[in-house]
Amino acid sequence: MAAALLTGCQSNRVTWAIAVHGGAGTIDPNTPAEQAASYRASLARALEEGRARLARGDGALDTCEAVVRILEDDPNFNAGKGATLTEAGRAELDASIMDGSTLRCGAVGGVTTVKNPISLARLVMERTEHVLLVAEGAERFADATGVERVENAYFVTPRRKEALEKALRERKVGMGAGAASAYGTVGCVALDSNGRLAAATSTGGRTGKMPGRIGDTPLPGAGNYADGVAAVSGTGTGEEFIRHAVARTIPARMELAGETLAQAADHVVFRTLREGDGGVIAVDGKGRIAMAYNSLGMYRGAADSAGRFEVRIWKD
Ligand code: ASP
């Protein structure tokens, strides 16, 4: 009897779990059905890849990198191809990755020719003594690694050009003023079947940002974080995520205040951040997933070993 109960419990236990996001923001609820379907399909494709990898026993870190690469290559999102543009009309990309089981992390900021910044971030983690390389130094490091390179024009899409023109037309006063949070930053958090957590996040930043601006995404603890308690990937107004160390605060609240993952994520998103700032996806060591946002919508998806597989944009 005891054995039967135990077996029953074990079969329900979540052994791996994954969540992805494709950005948060003012996503118009009247988005044409065709466009919403295209976003859902993009998210589902990335999530399916993650699910297949975790189900066959791949590690959380490899899975997060592979999933983010797919989203970087997808022009629907503000990362890699389709990234937002600086006020000078160029793409400057930020990314970071973190292994929760070792606290090793790597990040790049302001890269302009690296097709998949998340893979360069991983190489910073694995091949250097550093955590974050930016701009020219990051490009030089890329030269030495053999990662795939592209012209900056590869990243630029007509949609992001239009968004920049609009932002510049509406610009008020001040350096970087009117830099708009453009939804589409991508991220992935995962728990693998060996109990390891990882997080990866990649972005073009904010539309019309000043050249050289670095957001929260490549800053471990702000836009991306993983430890033995939880893995977190954020999206939204990066400056606010930096001020409040959003990604690190979630596992910290779990450890120090005894909150659940959902409580900690809700606290940070609904009480610390301002309405409209964005959201987070997070997973803990038991495979529980939180996806909280305080904007109109967040492109997101979740899957786990118990059969969950869902993709959503609004509160649907
Ligand atoms: N957090 C990103 C940044 O500020 C942008 C976003 O997620 O929309 O760079």
Side-chain angles (χ1 to χ4, degrees):
M1 177 68 163
L5 279 175
L6 192 63
T7 313
C9 286
Q10 277 174 341
S11 62
N12 286 334
R13 197 166 64 89
V14 170
T15 52
W16 55 260
I18 180 169
V20 297
H21 73 74
T26 319
I27 305 172
D28 187 352
N30 299 316
T31 302
E34 207 175 285
Q35 208 179 319
S38 158
Y39 276 104
R40 286 200 180 92
S42 289
L43 288 167
R45 200 155 42 88
L47 191 59
E48 262 159 30
E49 173 71 17
R51 173 172 70 173
R53 283 176 170 269
L54 291 169
R56 71 175 188 229
D58 281 13
L61 198 65
D62 287 344
T63 300
C64 284
E65 181 187 354
V67 167
V68 166
R69 282 180 66 100
I70 290 174
L71 295 167
E72 284 177 338
D73 290 344
D74 188 326
N76 267 338
F77 301 108
N78 169 21
K81 188 166 184 66
T84 53
L85 306 174
T86 67
E87 61 186 12
R90 276 166 68 78
E92 293 185 3
L93 311 172
D94 299 341
S96 68
I97 189 161
M98 186 154 182
D99 177 359
S101 60
T102 59
L103 297 187
R104 291 200 311 157
C105 46
V108 292
V111 294
T112 54
T113 67
V114 177
K115 181 167 174 276
N116 293 104
I118 198 65
S119 293
L120 190 63
R122 174 126 186 221
L123 291 169
V124 170
M125 176 179 106
E126 286 176 347
R127 297 201 194 160
T128 80
E129 295 295 312
H130 306 308
V131 165
L132 171 61
L133 291 179
V134 302
E136 197 194 326
E139 297 287 336
R140 277 209 208 147
F141 174 62
D143 294 344
T145 63
V147 291
E148 193 174 346
R149 309 295 278 280
V150 289
E151 294 290 324
N152 197 257
Y154 159 84
F155 300 113
V156 181
T157 59
R159 178 177 157 226
R160 298 298 186 193
K161 265 192 175 167
E162 267 168 41
L164 174 64
E165 278 156 21
K166 183 166 177 282
L168 293 179
R169 266 198 314 273
E170 291 168 2
R171 174 159 286 186
K172 302 201 174 69
V173 284
M175 314 264 279
S181 220
Y183 41 82
T185 290
V186 306
C188 179
V189 293
L191 168 75
D192 67 27
S193 48
N194 285 314
R196 289 173 308 210
L197 292 158
T201 310
S202 183
T203 189
R206 301 175 68 184
T207 300
K209 66 184 182 181
M210 292 171 69
R213 178 262 189 186
I214 301 284
D216 60 315
T217 299
L219 303 183
N224 193 74
Y225 190 76
D227 62 12
V229 175
V232 182
S233 171
T235 170
T237 313
E239 282 70 9
E240 291 302 314
F241 280 66
I242 294 170
R243 286 184 185 106
H244 297 290
V246 161
R248 169 67 187 123
T249 297
I250 290 174
R253 291 191 69 86
M254 294 170 72
E255 268 187 302
L256 303 175
E259 292 181 347
T260 64
L261 181 77
Q263 286 168 336
D266 281 357
H267 186 100
V268 168
V269 169
F270 299 111
R271 296 176 69 173
T272 307
L273 291 172
R274 307 166 310 189
E275 196 183 332
D277 271 340
V280 297
I281 54 167
V283 60
D284 70 10
K286 294 216 163 65
R288 288 178 289 227
I289 291 169
M291 297 190 282
Y293 59 97
N294 61 29
S295 45
L296 259 186
M298 180 165 81
Y299 298 107
R300 63 198 188 280
D304 67 24
S305 59
R308 178 178 185 182
F309 189 95
E310 64 182 60
V311 164
R312 292 178 199 278
I313 302 177
W314 298 280
K315 299 201 188 305
D316 45 354

